[in-house]
Amino acid sequence: MTQTADHHTDVPHADDPRLGEALKVALDGPYHEARQRARDTLDPAVMLRDPAMPMAEAREWTKNALVSLAAQGWGNAGYPVNGAAGDPAAAVMSFEAISHGDLSLTIKCGVQFGLWGGAIAGLGTPDQVAEWLPDVVAARHFGCFAMTEYGHGSDVQNIETTLTYDAATDEIVVHSPTPSATKTYIGNAAEHGQSAAVFGQLWVDGTCHGVHCAIVPIRDRELAPGHQKAAVRPGVTLGDNGHKGGLLGVDNGTISFDQVRIPRSYLLSRYGGIDDSGAYVSDISSMNKRFFTMLGTLVRGRVCVGAGAAAAARRALSIATRYALKRRQFPAPDGDGAVLLLDYRWHQRRLLPAIAESYALGFANNELVELLVQCQTTDVSEGLQRSLESRAAGLKAAQSRFANDVIQVCREACGGAGYMSENYLTLLRQDVDIFATFEGDNTVLMQLVAKGLLLGYREQWTGLDRRETITKTADLVGRMLMERTSARALIDALATAARRKGLEASVLDRGWQILMFEERERHVLESLAARVRNASKAPQGSKFEAINALQDHMLAAAKVHTDNLILEAFVAGIEQCQDQHAKQILGKLCDLYAVSNLEADRAWFLEHNFITDGRSKSLKRVCNTLCAELRPDALAIVEGLGIPADWLGSQMLND
Ligand SMILES: Cc1cc2nc3c(=O)[nH]c(=O)nc-3n(C[C@H](O)[C@H](O)[C@H](O)COP(=O)(O)OP(=O)(O)OC[C@H]3O[C@@H](n4cnc5c(N)ncnc54)[C@H](O)[C@@H]3O)c2cc1C
């Protein structure tokens, strides 16, 4: 069955034992084999940490679990082995799989293998990678990714740490010139890190060449006789960030440097280095471009964090839905026992649209990983690389926002039991919180997305009047849509048919749903482009105020653009599904995702005359109907989210 405007046929009911598996295969998409391998091989013993463990014990447990994963080869995932090319998808799949369990372990692995290892692999020369990486992925050399400073978190370009080349000794001097240059929140810094990939401004012969990264030893790698802890290296001061709002198993800390000397060869020099004559050399002449190219190589971390947040949300939804399928409250009217929680309409409304969104995000994440693989394994245009960075930013923000909201909903949906630590929802909620901030604060990332969307217009604005700007904007939006998804032809055909039908199109017409998402994006972007164009004409002194006044509009543009990408990916994912029953259920889940998204934004659609009062009311009605229709298959649908039952660890599901 292909998706059509009238795809909404009756769905056979809940007696298909293969449905959960078929949904899982569809959602796993091109990465089914890799994901299934992870499900089959990840040791459940490292998936669940006792939530009552105090911080010191949690740090030790997490470190030991990481070492055991490294011994099984998990640290290697994604990196070149024995001359074979690296596989970026394997890195994301491995991070995602571990995220179904303890998030401290996930982040500790992310710091060690993804950030510390990733800085070396992404910013080092082939010789540097060969020298440093093997010990990192084997967890023989613990390290940090030291970018953030007290004074500069989101604004990385202006960090203060200096890396100054001393030609007399052929060394680099690493220094924190002010207290605000102290590195902070750095994973592995408080206890286990032996070296750090330190970001700072590189100075050579009196000239600053912008942000670069160098490997700096911070602790001795061998214990001195009779000592329990490794000695801190001379000139390095380390601190402990102490107890946090979550992720207690990760030892975050501070690092500052007082004229610490390292060999020139410790400067990671893939994009810029110092040659034997002591001169700065780089293939990229623009400092700005070099900075963004360097950050671009680290995009995998952002993709991983988004995927990890989405996995945590899936776990919470799996726990809450399974609980709602066994917990009963209040007698049934026919006197036959009590009513199951999931038979209450509001309970369905809390959980099922969120599950539908989880599927939507899963398909969008698969597309993002495919793009990551394409950009990191082949020569691609600058435009495609930019599109990867923008998608990674938008989806990381969408997934971590979703996870934060939905885990709280799941906690409440389980009542008092949900508040008991043994059921893991409170630990998940604490641990996922910071996913909204690290690897790029969500607000800052959404601004990046909006700026990317506007970039294409900028050159065209000069000399255009308002009408011309709008026409050009429409052309550009159209072109961006064209580039986006594999199911483009189908999406266009459905939207065109719905446009022809006008008011006759049903709320359940996939074409109408697509059209509404597209029109919303087009309208928000067009009006933003026109406003930015006016603001950019403001006199120099008031330009900041003029642009700053548009910040809410920028964020709205990024959000509706990302929502549109997510819906398109869902439509494309359904197209790939081979199992007819799974395809029908996915169709209904996609309806529920689209209609509940439109329902949440119906004020905007009414204000802009895209829908009538009657249609606005029908959105709510249709959401209720879809929930009732999906309810009989709820268990299979959460099985399709792909988390093995023995990874959930929630005591209330066993009672
Ligand atoms: C547990 C944990 C682990 C971490 N691990 C590491 C690590 O290993 N290595 C590392 O280098 N860093 C790490 N970080 C740091 C993390 O990356 C930063 O916290 C993050 O980049 C945000 O920086 P900030 O905390 O300085 O917040 P700020 O940049 O000060 O932001 C504070 C608030 O201001 C808002 N804001 C900022 N700029 C703007 C703007 N232009 N417009 C509108 N709003 C704005 C943000 O949205 C945010 O709400 C970690 C942080 C934590 C908490």
Side-chain angles (χ1 to χ4, degrees):
M1 187 183 84
T2 50
Q3 292 167 92
T4 64
D6 293 322
H7 61 282
H8 222 253
T9 51
D10 277 345
V11 172
H13 267 210
D15 44 10
D16 178 356
R18 301 167 310 104
L19 180 59
E21 181 63 24
L23 286 167
K24 185 175 78 180
V25 171
L27 184 59
D28 283 349
Y31 304 108
H32 175 60
E33 238 174 67
R35 287 182 165 128
Q36 195 52 42
R37 207 174 319 117
R39 290 181 191 110
D40 294 341
T41 54
L42 250 182
D43 176 3
V46 301
M47 298 300 280
L48 296 170
R49 173 168 55 90
D50 177 357
M53 243 183 219
M55 187 174 83
E57 228 178 291
R59 286 180 174 182
E60 202 52 29
W61 180 93
T62 307
K63 183 191 174 191
N64 292 337
L66 179 145
V67 170
S68 108
L69 284 179
Q72 296 161 38
W74 287 83
N76 266 325
Y79 291 122
V81 182
N82 300 331
D87 174 8
V92 184
M93 292 310 130
S94 132
F95 188 93
E96 181 193 86
I98 300 167
S99 310
H100 288 112
D102 181 60
L103 291 178
S104 281
L105 176 59
T106 308
I107 294 306
K108 184 98 172 166
C109 289
V111 168
Q112 173 68 16
F113 307 129
L115 293 178
W116 160 230
I120 294 168
L123 304 178
T125 61
D127 285 350
Q128 289 175 318
V129 177
E131 180 182 346
W132 296 96
L133 200 59
D135 277 0
V136 174
V137 297
R140 288 189 294 267
H141 187 174
F142 272 82
C144 312
F145 178 89
M147 185 181 263
T148 304
E149 300 175 350
Y150 276 130
H152 297 93
S154 301
D155 178 12
V156 178
Q157 205 161 5
N158 288 305
I159 52 175
E160 294 174 79
T161 301
T162 50
L163 309 170
T164 308
Y165 180 59
D166 180 353
T169 59
D170 198 23
E171 289 172 318
I172 290 169
V173 182
V174 186
H175 188 59
S176 313
T178 63
S180 63
T182 300
K183 301 288 181 187
T184 188
Y185 316 133
I186 308 302
N188 267 347
E191 290 199 24
H192 303 134
Q194 296 161 321
S195 295
V198 176
F199 289 81
Q201 308 290 347
L202 178 67
W203 287 84
V204 181
D205 201 17
T207 303
C208 180
H209 296 278
V211 174
H212 284 66
C213 180
I215 295 177
V216 186
I218 58 172
R219 289 186 176 88
D220 284 348
R221 288 183 66 184
E222 304 294 335
L223 282 184
H227 285 75
Q228 298 286 317
K229 287 189 170 179
V232 176
R233 303 279 297 179
V236 176
T237 303
L238 300 177
D240 192 328
N241 286 134
H243 196 274
K244 307 189 289 289
L247 299 180
L248 286 193
V250 185
D251 54 318
N252 294 92
T254 61
I255 317 177
S256 65
F257 306 95
D258 182 10
Q259 313 284 352
V260 174
R261 289 180 170 269
I262 53 170
R264 169 167 60 103
S265 62
Y266 284 22
L267 178 70
L268 294 171
S269 305
R270 176 165 166 198
Y271 295 105
I274 301 163
D275 69 13
D276 290 341
S277 74
Y280 179 76
V281 282
S282 170
D283 291 340
I284 309 173
S285 55
S286 150
M287 195 155 92
N288 212 33
K289 191 166 176 203
R290 192 164 52 235
F291 173 72
F292 286 106
T293 305
M294 287 168 74
L295 285 196
T297 64
L298 305 173
V299 68
R300 197 185 294 184
R302 197 163 279 165
V303 175
C304 284
V305 164
R314 284 204 289 272
R315 179 163 168 221
L317 284 165
S318 302
I319 292 172
T321 307
R322 284 168 186 270
Y323 184 67
L325 286 167
K326 61 179 291 214
R327 170 80 173 165
R328 294 176 184 272
Q329 281 295 283
F330 297 101
D334 57 8
D336 188 15
V339 179
L340 270 176
L341 292 186
L342 201 58
D343 285 329
Y344 288 109
R345 176 54 42 81
W346 188 243
H347 219 76
Q348 294 167 8
R349 288 293 304 262
R350 287 157 116 180
L351 297 179
L352 296 175
I355 292 172
E357 188 163 352
S358 244
Y359 272 82
L361 290 167
F363 285 116
N365 204 59
N366 288 346
E367 281 196 351
L368 175 65
V369 177
E370 287 182 290
L371 186 56
L372 175 77
V373 172
Q374 190 186 355
C375 288
Q376 296 199 338
T377 56
T378 57
D379 253 350
V380 295
S381 66
E382 208 177 311
L384 204 61
Q385 177 67 30
R386 262 210 315 255
S387 144
L388 165 68
E389 285 159 23
S390 168
R391 252 182 205 234
L395 260 189
K396 183 271 178 184
Q399 292 179 117
S400 56
R401 175 76 271 137
F402 174 70
N404 267 289
D405 294 343
V406 96
I407 293 172
Q408 177 63 19
V409 169
C410 291
R411 202 299 290 151
E412 290 177 32
C414 295
Y419 198 60
M420 298 302 110
S421 298
E422 64 180 11
N423 293 318
Y424 280 99
L425 290 167
T426 49
L427 185 66
L428 262 183
R429 187 183 55 191
Q430 288 162 31
D431 287 347
V432 92
D433 178 332
I434 196 63
F435 281 57
T437 299
F438 59 29
E439 275 297 338
D441 170 87
N442 282 358
T443 301
V444 176
L445 291 184
M446 289 307 253
Q447 288 180 60
L448 266 181
V449 174
K451 283 178 192 157
L453 293 173
L454 290 169
L455 207 67
Y457 309 129
R458 203 147 287 158
E459 300 118 39
Q460 319 229 6
W461 289 338
T462 336
L464 299 184
D465 65 17
R466 190 180 142 72
R467 245 189 60 220
E468 287 170 326
T469 304
I470 288 177
T471 315
K472 284 280 176 201
T473 306
D475 286 353
L476 275 160
V477 172
R479 226 179 314 135
M480 281 176 341
L481 289 171
M482 304 257 303
E483 284 165 7
R484 285 196 321 211
T485 183
S486 49
R488 190 68 254 157
L490 171 69
I491 287 169
D492 283 345
L494 290 172
T496 307
R499 197 187 295 278
R500 241 183 271 120
K501 284 185 207 159
L503 290 175
E504 300 296 304
S506 143
V507 167
L508 289 171
D509 184 325
R510 178 80 70 245
W512 181 77
Q513 296 159 2
I514 292 168
L515 192 61
M516 288 302 100
F517 275 60
E518 284 187 358
E519 289 295 327
R520 179 174 57 181
E521 178 180 354
R522 193 188 300 275
H523 187 92
V524 173
L525 204 49
E526 262 177 27
S527 51
L528 176 64
R531 290 181 74 195
V532 170
R533 185 182 176 230
N534 284 338
S536 60
K537 289 183 196 150
Q540 206 48 41
S542 51
K543 211 166 245 174
F544 172 78
E545 280 73 19
I547 297 283
N548 196 31
L550 308 180
Q551 215 171 41
D552 59 322
H553 201 154
M554 302 256 292
L555 294 172
K559 162 94 172 66
V560 295
H561 168 76
T562 307
D563 283 357
N564 202 5
L565 284 178
I566 293 168
L567 177 62
E568 287 174 3
F570 205 154
V571 175
I574 296 173
E575 267 318 278
Q576 303 300 319
C577 179
Q578 303 298 319
D579 181 285
Q580 292 313 308
H581 189 186
K583 199 166 192 166
Q584 280 178 309
I585 297 293
L586 288 175
K588 274 193 190 281
L589 285 166
C590 188
D591 283 335
L592 186 54
Y593 167 67
V595 175
S596 54
N597 181 296
L598 297 174
E599 190 213 351
D601 213 7
R602 62 191 192 281
W604 186 92
F605 284 100
L606 281 167
E607 278 171 10
H608 293 84
N609 289 325
F610 280 107
I611 59 172
T612 60
D613 292 359
R615 177 135 299 199
S616 170
K617 286 180 192 149
S618 74
L619 290 171
K620 187 179 290 223
R621 201 172 52 243
V622 169
C623 271
N624 279 329
T625 308
L626 285 166
C627 284
E629 288 175 4
L630 287 164
R631 156 69 186 92
D633 290 306
L635 182 60
I637 291 169
V638 292
E639 283 169 357
L641 292 177
I643 310 180
D646 62 343
W647 286 7
L648 298 176
S650 201
Q651 190 52 43
M652 66 189 173
L653 300 180
N654 303 327
D655 293 341

